[in-house]
Amino acid sequence: RVPPADRPDPPRALRLSGLSGTSLSLAWDPGWDGGLAQHFLLRADGPDAPPPPAHLVTSGFSLTLGGLRPETPYDVTVRARNARGDSAPVRLRAVTSAVAEAPPPVWEGPEAPPGGGEDP
């Protein structure tokens, strides 16, 4: 017999896979999906930091959080979600590095490409 569908288990082995002055790259192993399709919600909270969108969502098992401040500790929370609800959160504390490189545009509106395609 197939067990009834339920909320997913929390992700396992949450780890930092890379960092820079403005980003943290995270990876994890999925827990039991509850018998339903699941995705993952990530959130990063830091002191005096502008909040990222309420949650970043991915169906994969890794994600890079960008637009962060250099030399800043962040509490990262990852939880699994399926149609039955959310798993318990898993947390990780990570600190961005000291040097901020020129950040790519993150969470901003569209920008015209160089040259803009307009006639002079």
Side-chain angles (χ1 to χ4, degrees):
R1 288 177 45 119
V2 175
D6 200 355
R7 294 187 318 166
D9 286 345
R12 299 186 312 260
L14 177 60
R15 57 204 176 270
L16 192 63
S17 58
L19 63 85
S20 74
T22 57
S23 69
L24 297 171
S25 296
L26 303 149
W28 59 91
D29 298 326
W32 180 61
D33 62 11
L36 299 164
Q38 70 177 347
H39 54 271
F40 300 92
L41 289 82
L42 284 82
R43 179 182 179 94
D45 294 299
D48 302 323
H55 289 104
L56 292 175
V57 179
T58 179
S59 56
F61 310 130
S62 63
L63 190 72
T64 297
L65 300 168
L68 306 178
R69 292 187 181 183
E71 286 188 290
T72 303
Y74 286 90
D75 290 310
V76 180
T77 306
V78 181
R79 61 180 80 221
R81 174 176 285 176
N82 68 15
R84 293 281 179 165
D86 290 3
S87 72
V90 239
R91 292 185 173 88
L92 174 94
R93 171 158 273 220
V95 181
T96 50
S97 61
V99 179
E101 64 283 351
V106 177
W107 301 332
E108 294 176 1
E111 293 181 5
E118 296 177 13
D119 293 328

